Amino acid sequence: MQTTTAAAWKGKNEKFREISHYRQSFPLCASTSSRLTASGGCFSSSQFRVGKKNIRILGNELLGKQVVTSESFSSQQSRGRRRNSVVRASAVFDNLSTNLEAIWTKLRNQDVLTRENVKEPMQDIRRALLEADVSLPVVRKFVKSVTEKAIGIGVIKGVRPDQQLVKVVNDELVSLMGGSRAEIEFAKGGPTVILMAGLQGVGKTTACGKLALYFKKKGKSVMMVATDIYRPAAIDQLLTLGRQVDAPVFEAGKNIKPAEIARRGLTEAKKQKIDVVIIDTAGRLQVDKAMMNELKEVKSTVNPTEVLLVVDAMTGQEAASLVAAFNLELGITGAILTKLDGDSRGGAALSVKEVSGKPIKFVGEGEGMTALEPFYPDRMASRILGMGDVLSFVEKAQEVMVQEEAEEMQRRIMEAKFDFNDFLKQTRNLARMGSMGGLMKLIPGMNKISPQQISEAEKSLKVMESMINSMTKQERENPELLAQSPSRRRRIAVGSGRSQEQVSQLVSQLFQMRARMKNLSTMMQGGSVPGLGALEEQLSGGRKAPPGTAKRRKPKPGLQVSGPARSAAKGFGSK
Ligand SMILES: Nc1nc2c(ncn2[C@@H]2O[C@H](COP(=O)(O)OP(=O)(O)OP(=O)(O)O)[C@@H](O)[C@H]2O)c(=O)[nH]1
């Protein structure tokens, strides 16, 4: 039978915690009318009043912490039918997925994505994300970034604008959730120590058991350490879970400081040559000084490899703020998002990384010990959009387009016809790909470029774009006109708000690029790529002034190009 947990009642969480604790601490139920069994469970059919609702308890489970209610039972029954892990996580995003689906249809009759026609879908996306309980600053940033990327795409042959938008939204969702999977760090020597932190009832102890099983399946030996000396039955709960997953639990009773228990546990684990030590800690109703100090003490005592904050998905964007707060106070390495199988709207999964800077490392999707999965941003994004086939179709079409463009570009390069239109197209292609970083990595020999150099290059490309936009059609197609005419260069400088020196430099760079690219293509045919150093220099923002530009001590009105570009630039320049 499926069960709903005490904490699984959004908004009634705390009440249920109380009930849960009553059930462990006192022989009477919270309703005062039902007696508890000796083991802490209710007799069946007890009544609770939570808010305005009467909740009837139908049965009790392990450790008196799980309750099946009349209300939860029917909804759980229908949910139970869909109980494989993929579908369970999708269920969290059901609303968001449905809302997004409706949005794509609004673009069906468009030819291309423009600032105007994406406006309405973007407002809808904004609303859908807010409804999913994603935090407002995150939503704003997301919408801005999707808009910019969407309108920069242009036409991709055979791909509809709505499909393009799906792809952009997918890519942005992935990057919002951290890009790639954040793995658990393992200690270089000695046991890997994982310190678990979190508020009361979020699923810390359960997550300890789940993690223990996860590592055991990976062939590691695991020990759990019980340092929650405050909650009655917390130690028993961990011992039971330990038996369930077949992992030893270190406990030293309740009359000893948590940091000392942790220290002794670690010593014992070292003695037994245990690979992974998971330390369960006490939760509080809210972040308070005493809790933080205690955690800090445990942390400094055991020097953990990982500090994982367990947060409840049902608290939505609050979960994200909590991760940020704990990170500031304690310093954490990541989060475990629990109860993603519940009625949450998914906002936490989307907000945590952006709000806190810390990744979600695992998600809990049920009460059972196997209901824990590593968090993969790309898989989660696909689940939200549910459009895997559209995504791969757009990717394929983009590849084909890039290839066709590349072939055309290559032809023009070979013929030394690379002009300012090509230059602009390339600049826009780079922008369309999000960041130059991704592209650079694909070019052999270019992956050594630092992110700072890439961002400088991106800035410098923007400057270039502004100057090219001030050129006439003729000048773009025929850069020789600019090389020969200082007055044209002056006009462009005024029009683009740049200096004449910058315009001269740009013109000079184009000729150098022409020559180098020609060089490059000849070399590539011969199998070597020695010209990349020069290209790298070009793209890193022209830090070194190209020879023959206005950076020379005595700028000349015409342009001269030296080095490898000399042959191509021959004939242009000077008055
Ligand atoms: N549905 C669902 N329930 C969960 C999940 N993780 C934990 N729970 C349930 O949430 C309740 C609280 O879990 P615990 O592990 O006891 O929470 P805790 O954070 O250790 O609580 P304290 O020790 O009091 O701070 C239990 O009933 C768990 O079965 C999950 O991923 N999904």
Side-chain angles (χ1 to χ4, degrees):
M1 192 196 297
Q2 305 298 334
T3 61
T4 286
T5 65
W9 288 83
K10 189 160 199 267
K12 299 159 191 113
N13 223 351
E14 291 322 325
K15 273 278 181 227
F16 264 95
R17 292 295 314 171
E18 276 173 44
I19 292 165
S20 199
H21 281 269
Y22 270 118
R23 295 172 71 202
Q24 286 152 13
S25 321
F26 307 105
L28 281 179
C29 253
S31 66
T32 67
S33 61
S34 325
R35 292 230 151 247
L36 293 173
T37 60
S39 64
C42 270
F43 288 126
S44 56
S45 298
S46 311
Q47 256 331 138
F48 288 133
R49 198 170 165 76
V50 176
K52 289 182 181 156
K53 277 188 181 146
N54 278 321
I55 308 281
R56 199 162 65 94
I57 288 201
L58 302 176
N60 70 290
E61 326 292 322
L62 180 75
L63 295 171
K65 295 204 80 191
Q66 296 166 347
V67 287
V68 181
T69 67
S70 53
E71 201 168 348
S72 68
F73 186 59
S74 56
S75 77
Q76 284 289 331
Q77 265 189 325
S78 56
R79 205 175 297 152
R81 281 183 224 115
R82 298 175 286 162
R83 209 159 171 88
N84 80 49
S85 62
V86 173
V87 178
R88 260 182 294 150
S90 307
V92 173
F93 295 107
D94 267 356
N95 271 348
L96 180 57
S97 303
T98 316
N99 287 340
L100 289 174
E101 235 173 274
I103 292 167
W104 318 132
T105 54
K106 295 194 173 171
L107 284 162
R108 281 281 154 82
N109 300 323
Q110 305 294 329
D111 299 324
V112 62
L113 296 173
T114 63
R115 195 170 284 283
E116 284 65 44
N117 67 18
V118 297
K119 213 174 232 165
E120 199 187 330
M122 282 305 149
Q123 274 166 359
D124 293 345
I125 288 178
R126 182 190 158 94
R127 208 171 303 126
L129 290 172
L130 288 173
E131 265 176 34
D133 205 13
V134 180
S135 80
L136 184 59
V138 175
V139 174
R140 278 201 191 122
K141 196 170 163 207
F142 183 86
V143 167
K144 185 165 180 270
S145 160
V146 170
T147 309
E148 271 163 20
K149 302 231 160 94
I151 59 180
I153 288 184
V155 179
I156 303 175
K157 254 189 253 166
V159 182
R160 294 193 318 255
D162 56 302
Q163 294 168 323
Q164 289 181 4
L165 189 61
V166 170
K167 175 76 170 67
V168 176
V169 170
N170 175 76
D171 293 351
E172 286 303 296
L173 282 176
V174 174
S175 106
L176 181 67
M177 289 187 277
S180 54
R181 181 188 164 192
E183 307 252 4
I184 284 280
E185 284 279 324
F186 287 99
K188 302 275 179 295
T192 295
V193 179
I194 302 177
L195 179 61
M196 305 285 274
L199 297 187
Q200 215 170 55
V202 289
K204 254 183 328 312
T205 309
T206 311
C208 288
K210 289 176 178 177
L211 266 186
L213 184 62
Y214 175 84
F215 289 121
K216 284 201 72 183
K217 283 186 181 166
K218 299 234 167 288
K220 311 245 177 239
S221 55
V222 185
M223 177 185 272
M224 295 190 277
V225 180
T227 74
D228 183 354
I229 55 173
Y230 307 103
R231 176 161 67 83
I235 297 175
D236 285 346
Q237 185 187 358
L238 200 65
L239 285 167
T240 308
L241 293 178
R243 278 193 294 276
Q244 242 177 296
V245 300
D246 194 22
V249 174
F250 181 90
E251 58 111 353
K254 291 179 180 167
N255 301 318
I256 170 171
K257 275 173 81 175
E260 179 56 20
I261 303 175
R263 194 189 60 74
R264 289 188 197 174
L266 184 56
T267 310
E268 184 58 31
K270 282 181 183 162
K271 217 188 287 170
Q272 293 186 29
K273 301 217 174 338
I274 295 283
D275 299 321
V276 182
V277 180
I278 302 169
I279 302 176
D280 186 24
T281 60
R284 303 280 155 86
L285 280 176
Q286 68 227 8
V287 185
D288 61 40
K289 222 175 166 56
M291 174 202 207
M292 279 300 175
N293 287 343
E294 199 174 276
L295 278 170
K296 281 180 192 168
E297 203 183 337
V298 176
K299 188 182 173 192
S300 68
T301 307
V302 295
N303 190 22
T305 333
E306 290 272 354
V307 181
L308 297 180
L309 183 74
V310 184
V311 282
D312 181 339
M314 283 190 291
T315 56
Q317 48 176 305
E318 268 173 45
S321 322
L322 209 58
V323 179
F326 266 78
N327 187 40
L328 274 179
E329 266 293 311
L330 183 67
I332 62 169
T333 56
I336 297 183
L337 190 61
T338 61
K339 306 184 191 178
L340 212 61
D341 55 317
D343 299 328
S344 89
R345 290 167 288 163
L350 292 167
S351 313
V352 163
K353 179 73 199 326
E354 184 64 32
V355 170
S356 71
K358 291 293 162 184
I360 297 172
K361 295 206 168 180
F362 288 93
V363 286
E365 300 177 86
E367 291 156 314
M369 288 298 100
T370 52
L372 182 85
E373 284 180 18
F375 182 71
Y376 292 94
D378 53 344
R379 292 186 199 173
M380 197 55 87
S382 304
R383 286 177 191 182
I384 294 171
L385 294 171
M387 290 199 169
D389 45 347
V390 172
L391 297 176
S392 40
F393 166 67
V394 178
E395 264 159 29
K396 197 91 223 132
Q398 273 174 334
E399 269 169 36
V400 171
M401 192 185 77
V402 168
Q403 176 147 5
E404 280 175 7
E405 273 185 15
E407 280 164 12
E408 165 66 10
M409 195 60 76
Q410 193 182 352
R411 195 181 55 74
R412 292 180 62 76
I413 288 167
M414 300 287 261
E415 292 168 11
K417 277 192 178 157
F418 187 83
D419 63 18
F420 277 115
N421 285 323
D422 300 319
F423 197 104
L424 200 59
K425 204 189 275 174
Q426 288 306 293
T427 315
R428 287 186 177 147
N429 270 350
L430 290 173
R432 194 174 66 205
M433 287 180 190
S435 138
M436 285 177 61
L439 186 78
M440 294 292 195
K441 283 194 203 101
L442 301 176
I443 306 177
M446 296 284 268
N447 50 6
K448 284 182 260 84
I449 294 185
S450 68
Q452 200 199 342
Q453 279 174 300
I454 289 169
S455 99
E456 273 171 24
E458 275 171 338
K459 263 189 240 148
S460 118
L461 283 174
K462 278 208 180 98
V463 172
M464 290 179 194
E465 195 170 345
S466 70
M467 292 188 274
I468 297 172
N469 283 337
S470 292
M471 292 175 193
T472 63
K473 188 168 172 286
Q474 239 186 346
E475 286 163 350
R476 283 192 206 183
E477 287 168 1
N478 198 353
E480 289 80 1
L481 290 174
L482 294 172
Q484 287 158 356
S485 162
S487 64
R488 282 181 189 266
R489 296 201 295 273
R490 207 173 306 122
R491 194 203 77 240
I492 291 164
V494 173
S496 62
R498 309 285 165 188
S499 71
Q500 217 175 311
E501 204 180 34
Q502 279 173 302
V503 179
S504 299
Q505 196 176 344
L506 175 69
V507 177
S508 174
Q509 273 178 354
L510 181 100
F511 287 115
Q512 288 188 47
M513 254 177 136
R514 250 193 197 181
R516 280 177 179 146
M517 282 175 161
K518 191 155 189 251
N519 232 353
L520 195 71
S521 65
T522 321
M523 304 285 191
M524 276 165 102
Q525 281 166 355
S528 76
V529 193
L532 281 177
L535 186 60
E536 196 174 313
E537 189 189 297
Q538 295 283 349
L539 290 170
S540 58
R543 280 163 294 122
K544 203 167 132 193
T549 66
K551 281 208 171 168
R552 291 176 70 179
R553 225 179 271 154
K554 271 193 184 166
K556 298 213 169 121
L559 294 171
Q560 290 161 11
V561 183
S562 64
R566 189 184 289 282
S567 57
K570 211 170 161 191
F572 318 124
S574 89
K575 304 158 211 164

